Amino acid sequence: AQRVTQPEKLLSVFKGAPVELKCNYSYSGSPELFWYVQYSRQRLQLLLRHISRESIKGFTADLNKGETSFHLKKPFAQEEDSAMYYCALKRGTALIFGKGTTLSVSS
Amino acid sequence: SAVISQKPSRDICQRGTSLTIQCQVDSQVTMMFWYRQQPGQSLTLIATANQGSEATYESGFVIDKFPISRPNLTFSTLTVSNMSPEDSSIYLCSASDTGELFFGEGSRLTVL
C-alpha cells in the first residue's frame, strides 16, 4: 500500500542551526514526491517537488530510492521557517500526505 | 496558479443536520479533490470530484455520507450529511491542472 511516514511530530531548532525533516514512503513504482508547507493562518502551499530538483527558500530535498526517503533539508534555519511541513506522494492524480512535522525555530 | 475560495470558512452545526461546502476556482482546472483534516491528524483524501460524472471515493468514504457535485471546471460542492461530532473537521478543497495541487483555506466544521 502507498504510504508516507513522517516520524517526527515536532522539531525544535535554534536559528542558524541545520534542519532535516524526515520523510519515508512506500510505493511500488516510480514515486513522485512533494513537500507542502502551511504557515500560521495561511493555506497549504507547495514548497518543492522532487522532479524539479530546485531549492526553494533555501530548502532542498533529494529522493533516495534505496532508502525510500525524501528528507527536507536546510543548512541554516530562520525564524520565518516555523511552520507545519507535510510530505506528500502522488497516487494517480491525487496526493496522499504524511502526518506532518511542526518545525519551530527560535532565536 | 489557481486561487481557491471556500464557503463557509467555518460553521457550527447540530447533530443530524447536513451542510454543503462550496469551492470556487478562479480558473478552469482539470482535477478537483476534497480532503479532510481531523484535529491533530493529516490530510485524508475523501474523493476526486469528476466534472460531469459521479465522484470517485476513497476507501472509507461513501456517496450517501459525502455527496459531491462538480457541474463545471471551476466549481464543486461537498455535502456532509447527517452529521455527528466525529465529522468535526477541516474540509479542504484542492485543484490541479499542471501537476501542482492548490488548496483552499478550508472549512472548519464543528458538530455539536
Side-chain angles (χ1 to χ4, degrees):
Chain A
Q2 300 96 345
R3 188 169 56 245
V4 178
T5 303
Q6 292 180 253
E8 303 144 327
K9 195 168 183 178
L10 172 66
L11 182 63
S12 296
V13 301
F14 288 109
K15 178 181 171 182
V19 169
E20 183 179 52
L21 299 168
K22 291 184 167 47
C23 172
N24 289 92
Y25 66 90
S26 172
Y27 186 73
S28 56
S30 191
E32 192 171 341
L33 287 142
F34 304 78
W35 277 98
Y36 276 77
V37 60
Q38 188 167 29
Y39 300 102
S40 179
R41 298 191 188 86
Q42 295 187 26
R43 65 185 69 198
L44 198 60
Q45 59 187 284
L46 177 67
L47 180 62
L48 53 80
R49 62 177 86 181
H50 91 270
I51 58 172
S52 56
R53 301 183 65 82
E54 57 194 342
S55 174
I56 303 291
K57 299 184 180 182
F59 284 97
T60 58
D62 291 318
L63 177 62
N64 185 324
K65 291 186 178 180
E67 295 182 357
T68 60
S69 69
F70 187 57
H71 302 327
L72 184 68
K73 299 178 184 178
K74 184 169 182 176
F76 307 104
Q78 299 174 340
E79 290 183 75
E80 52 265 35
D81 296 328
S82 295
M84 186 72 159
Y85 291 81
Y86 292 96
C87 183
L89 171 69
K90 193 167 186 180
R91 191 200 68 197
T93 55
L95 295 182
I96 55 174
F97 288 82
K99 291 192 175 184
T101 299
T102 299
L103 174 64
S104 175
V105 182
S106 55
S107 56
Chain B
S1 67
V3 178
I4 300 174
S5 303
Q6 282 185 238
K7 288 194 296 186
S9 58
R10 59 177 64 231
D11 207 341
I12 298 174
C13 307
Q14 296 300 316
R15 184 194 299 255
T17 63
S18 299
L19 183 80
T20 296
I21 302 167
Q22 298 181 1
C23 176
Q24 180 73 55
V25 189
D26 69 342
S27 59
Q28 292 187 342
V29 290
T30 308
M31 309 298 299
M32 293 184 75
F33 308 93
W34 287 97
Y35 285 84
R36 181 173 73 182
Q37 187 173 28
Q38 292 181 302
Q41 303 293 318
S42 183
L43 288 81
T44 301
L45 180 64
I46 297 172
T48 302
N50 299 310
Q51 193 263 327
S53 63
E54 193 172 287
T56 305
Y57 289 85
E58 296 296 304
S59 175
F61 298 95
V62 294
I63 188 171
D64 290 345
K65 176 67 176 177
F66 298 101
I68 288 171
S69 78
R70 188 175 173 197
N72 56 51
L73 292 176
T74 64
F75 186 78
S76 178
T77 67
L78 168 74
T79 298
V80 186
S81 302
N82 188 25
M83 286 184 283
S84 66
E86 293 71 36
D87 295 319
S88 296
S89 187
I90 298 173
Y91 292 85
L92 292 158
C93 175
S94 65
S96 171
D97 196 39
T98 58
E100 179 176 347
L101 205 59
F102 298 94
F103 285 86
E105 291 184 321
S107 299
R108 182 184 293 271
L109 302 188
T110 302
V111 185
L112 303 178

